[in-house]
Amino acid sequence: ALNAASPLEVNVMTSHSWAENAEDFLEALLRSTSADDVMFVCALSLYQAADGHGPSIAEQIGGAASESPFRRVLEHILLKGKSAGRLWRWRPILATLPGACLFLAACLYFLPVLLWECVPGFRQCARSRETTVGGTDWVWTDPHPAFWLVPALGMLCIALAAVAAMAGWWMQPYAGRMLVVPNRECDIYTRLW
């Protein structure tokens, strides 16, 4: 056995179609997984040579759905995920939180540019005006009494993004999931069991 000395625990169940292009399939796997993921891909995980030297596909799949390696892998991922708790269920949201906070911070930075046509600073806004000589000069103004909230909220969003990114890196929630690889040749619903 290839992995008998130090077996790894599967955390990604991969569903794919035999009618797909192998390069497209590999590219989809590379885009959707990381180096830490351990995948179950039936084409690579089950002996399919049908040469009489190894078990047949029917022997490996079993007589009942509960004996199927597909079901056993999915049940393992589910049980491991449930034991990981809320972090596993909320993992997709937690993973997008730092990016969402940074996006909100950028929106808050550009808000004064759109509303008051000025470049925000920490307490005031810089607005350009033409000088009598024909050049441009920058003048600090108070565009609104509550302007100080904009940079304060922007910095708060940046701090939240940093804390969320560090927490995600430190906690490393369980990443068990099923990966369904799309295919141009075959409708996805015709191949899910």
Side-chain angles (χ1 to χ4, degrees), residues 40-122:
F40 178 91
V41 180
C42 68
L44 304 173
S45 301
L46 298 178
Y47 188 78
Q48 299 184 19
D51 59 2
H53 292 291
S56 69
I57 293 175
E59 291 171 337
Q60 295 173 81
I61 291 178
S66 60
E67 300 171 1
S68 162
F70 308 107
R71 176 137 181 200
R72 289 188 311 213
V73 168
L74 286 172
E75 284 178 351
H76 169 75
I77 290 172
L78 179 65
L79 291 174
K80 182 84 173 177
K82 283 183 176 179
S83 70
R86 289 190 182 113
L87 281 178
W88 179 59
R89 285 192 286 284
W90 290 93
R91 184 182 157 283
I93 294 170
L94 293 173
T96 58
L97 189 60
C101 287
L102 288 176
F103 176 74
L104 185 58
C107 289
L108 284 168
Y109 177 80
F110 287 109
L111 185 68
V113 175
L114 295 172
L115 291 179
W116 301 300
E117 297 176 351
C118 61
V119 179
F122 286 114

